[in-house]
Amino acid sequence: MSVRSVASSSVASAVAGRLAGGAVLSAMAAALPPYRRADLSVDARVADLLGRMTLAEKLDQLHQSGVGDANPHNLAARADELRPTYGAFIVGGPATLFALREALQRRAVEGTRLGIPALFAADVIHGYRTIAPLPLAQACAWDPALVRAGARLAAAEARAQGIDWTFAPMVDHCVDPRWGRIAETFGEAPHAASVFAVAAVEGFQGDAPGAPGSVAACLKHYAGYGASEGGRDYTYTEIAGPTLWRDHLPPFAAGVRAGACTVMSAFNDLNGVPTSAHHFLLTEVLRAQWGFGGVVVSDWNAVLQLVRQGHAADEADAAARALLAGVDLDMADGLYRAHGAALVASGRVPLAAVDAAVARMLRLKFELGLFEQPYAGRTPLTGAAPTPEALAQVEEMAARAMVLLQNDGVLPLAPTVRRIALLGPLAEHRAALLGSWAQQGRPEETETIAEALRARLPAGTTLEAVAGCSVAGDEIGGIAAAVAAARVADAVVLCLGEEPWMSGENASRSSLRLPGRQEELALAVAVAGRPTVVVLVTGRPVEIQMLVPRVGAVLAAWQGGTRAGAAVADLLLGRRAPEGRLAVTWPRATGQVPIHHQLRPRARAGREGAYQDLEDSPLFEFGHGLGYTTFAHGELRLAQPTVRAGETLAAELAVTNTGARAGVETIFWFVRDPAASLTQPGRRLRHFERAVLAPGETRVFRWEISPERDLAFPDADGRPVLEPGEIVLLAGGRSASFQVQP
Ligand code: GLC
């Protein structure tokens, strides 16, 4: 640390620490430039520092650079690419991250004129070193506390490596599983995505986003990216106003209310205007309506892409459009740096617009405490392997996220099952369990389903593993051996699914069918006629309508993370019961997409308007999931038959565990507005609650309906509309109607 920075930081910390000898302190503090004084307001510090910056320093502050595999001991080799005056870097790759981050920060703090610390971000989506289930899987556990705790764990591990900022939670709304990034969503229900967005922001940021164990959160991808046409990535979206306000914007609004520090603008063009140049979204809604004061970062090269999208005439035009729309930090393409000075000189971009963006970057850094503590303190987690506590936590998450879709009684595997044929290309696959965005998760540390089962089998029970075919491609040499193993088994566990790169970013698929020759394997094994359980390791719902009638049970294991194997084994062996419920509708066929629980009624009933070659219903409904017990649902009771704005209406539903095992029941509360000025979804989820019920126990689930909160719907401009008339309440397979009175 250079003499100047030692003096300034020691005095700053002394002032901040309020050590004895006030007179000395005040003299020392007075010697510091205001922006270095922690006793002054953030506003004052921002104003002072901004006033000291040159335009070149301001434009560097609005640039975020990747660092790739930069060598922390030879940054000079990448001097211009990794300038110490850049506002932020994206890190996360190499295990040398901590050293690299400290080296880059030291140059920024001690090697530049103003010593402005940089921000270090990574895509910590579902875990950092210990990998949790995908967000889509976490949503299937229907427990905000689980999501919050998972984000907290990820933040602690990421912060320990020097990451200040994560590009999560992703809160896009998607009803098209062809889009690979459905894996990163919290499912298709906007209300659920809003609840989980808040839980994730709270988990990542904790009580203070700059505190040890916390990272700044980033709501992404704002907005509408999940409606990419045809499920193809990086394409445009056509979203009508009521749908935008009802389905796509609420999770972002909820995340902003929860105090998310940053928002990421998206790749998609929304109704003709790319979202990274969308002044209405980025400034009129996000800042003016919602009061968001944080930083907007573009997605990777999203500013440059404005040219290819047919919106900007050239790179300078792209930079101007993004900055004027409200994108503060330009990720990766460097267009703000390259063209900012000329744009200001020409008057196309007022200096005030640059200053406003820089001020938001500086404010974030002051609020994160980076000026006082620019360096990451080593903790026991720095560079460490997953702790036993972290592994136990993600194992619990995985077991609760998995969804038993079908079960003819073959599960849990009976003690009489003494010979198991464990088949399929996912039975001994490690990386697939971690899924996309697996950060520092290590496949070599990830127990396979086979290993987990073997470690738990009762004495005398044997397991023969045969892959049968590859995940993708045409390798089918093992099918005969798989069938042979099936024929002599008491039970077959058939593990099918996707490679980790088949979902996530740039992983759109034209078909949801199982990749490669897995269907052939499955059909051949089914012919053996043995009790068969299919375990699906996927990042999305996949097409299994040909499988379902031929097997006994289907378990959606998703990509469950570092301890997914153990979770699968415990569920199959009955050491714990499945409790997940689908947070996304499961189509019968690719051609049925989009199909979801918010479909609005067709003009005609019955088969009129349905695909004439397919059942009209999905294979498995939103909210579907089985356990190892059964529940009986009483009548849906309403406290009164009418409600007005300003009042609440109490609803109750009694549920009894009628089985022999404890089990988790999740009650979803939907509303249907059968006659509205804007036609409404067949069902809108407005509340959910899960509870563990002992055998024979009856639990009364209660919900207070607030007409303004739960029954109003947005018009094309997002204005809430509450109309008198009938509302149908649906929960637990029951329904009851009431009237909203004027
Ligand atoms: C990617 C993704 C975004 C991610 C960013 C940084 O293109 O769209 O989700 O956070 O770039 O890696």
Side-chain angles (χ1 to χ4, degrees), residues 294-604:
V295 166
V296 172
V297 58
S298 75
D299 203 338
W300 188 284
N301 280 353
V303 177
L304 173 63
Q305 288 167 184
L306 298 176
V307 179
R308 180 170 175 70
Q309 284 173 294
H311 188 63
D314 54 34
E315 293 185 0
D317 187 32
R321 287 174 182 274
L323 190 56
L324 292 172
V327 174
D328 300 317
L329 184 62
D330 173 19
M331 186 191 298
D333 53 44
L335 297 195
Y336 283 14
R337 284 194 63 228
H339 302 284
L343 289 168
V344 169
S346 68
R348 171 79 194 277
V349 173
L351 179 60
V354 172
D355 286 353
V358 175
R360 287 189 283 264
M361 280 293 290
L362 299 179
R363 168 175 298 281
L364 177 58
K365 294 179 176 182
F366 282 121
E367 288 173 349
L368 291 179
L370 283 171
F371 281 82
E372 279 66 51
Q373 296 289 349
Y375 304 113
R378 277 191 176 280
T379 74
L381 284 179
T382 305
T387 65
E389 297 75 18
L391 291 171
Q393 181 180 341
V394 296
E395 181 173 332
E396 173 75 9
M397 294 173 76
R400 292 179 53 190
M402 295 179 181
V403 183
L404 183 57
L405 299 175
Q406 173 178 294
N407 186 21
D408 67 356
V410 65
L411 288 181
L413 295 175
T416 51
V417 169
R418 311 292 287 174
R419 191 165 183 174
I420 296 174
L422 181 66
L423 311 177
L426 278 299
E428 301 191 277
H429 203 310
R430 299 180 192 281
L433 299 179
L434 300 180
S436 55
W437 303 104
Q439 271 301 342
Q440 296 298 305
R442 301 203 182 141
E444 64 274 19
E445 292 172 352
T446 304
E447 187 184 42
T448 65
I449 293 170
E451 289 163 343
L453 270 172
R454 285 201 175 97
R456 289 164 174 76
L457 288 179
T461 300
T462 62
L463 180 148
E464 181 184 1
V466 182
C469 68
S470 49
V471 176
D474 292 325
E475 167 44 56
I476 54 170
I479 288 185
V483 172
R487 286 209 179 98
V488 297
D490 298 326
V492 173
V493 177
L494 179 55
C495 300
L496 308 171
E498 298 179 308
E499 291 287 357
W501 44 264
M502 291 180 171
S503 57
E505 184 179 357
N506 192 22
S508 300
R509 298 182 73 78
S510 64
S511 168
L512 300 176
R513 293 181 63 174
L514 288 163
R517 310 289 284 272
Q518 296 182 64
E519 283 186 1
E520 285 172 65
L521 169 66
L523 291 172
V525 167
V527 168
R530 305 305 298 146
T532 299
V533 179
V534 169
V535 176
L536 296 171
V537 177
T538 67
R540 55 162 57 88
V542 289
E543 196 175 311
I544 53 170
Q545 63 174 334
M546 48 57 96
L547 256 182
V548 159
R550 293 178 166 85
V551 298
V554 180
L555 176 71
W558 307 114
Q559 287 154 348
T562 305
R563 296 295 295 160
V568 168
D570 282 349
L571 294 175
L572 297 186
L573 296 171
R575 293 154 61 113
R576 60 179 304 152
E579 60 182 84
R581 299 286 187 276
L582 287 178
V584 64
T585 299
W586 201 287
R588 290 179 188 277
T590 310
Q592 213 175 28
V593 170
I595 185 166
H596 51 86
H597 75 285
Q598 291 203 127
L599 289 178
R600 301 203 296 275
R602 281 200 294 263
R604 295 195 177 179

Side-chain angles (χ1 to χ4, degrees), residues 64 90-91 121-125 166-168 170 172 181 184 218 220-221 225 233-234 264-267 297-302 305 331 437 439 505-506:
Q64 174 166 37
I90 298 179
V91 290
D123 290 287
V124 184
I125 310 298
T166 180
F167 294 137
M170 189 266 220
D172 294 322
R181 307 200 76 166
E184 304 170 55
C218 182
K220 72 180 186 183
H221 307 80
Y225 181 31
D233 213 340
Y234 313 122
M264 182 184 292
S265 68
F267 290 132
V297 58
S298 75
D299 203 338
W300 188 284
N301 280 353
Q305 288 167 184
M331 186 191 298
W437 303 104
Q439 271 301 342
E505 184 179 357
N506 192 22

Side-chain angles (χ1 to χ4, degrees), residues 96 139 144 147 175 246 255 270 301 404 431 461 540 561 566 602 686 707 721:
T96 58
V147 171
V175 291
R246 187 191 64 234
L270 173 62
N301 280 353
L404 183 57
T461 300
R540 55 162 57 88
R602 281 200 294 263
R686 308 305 292 143
V721 176

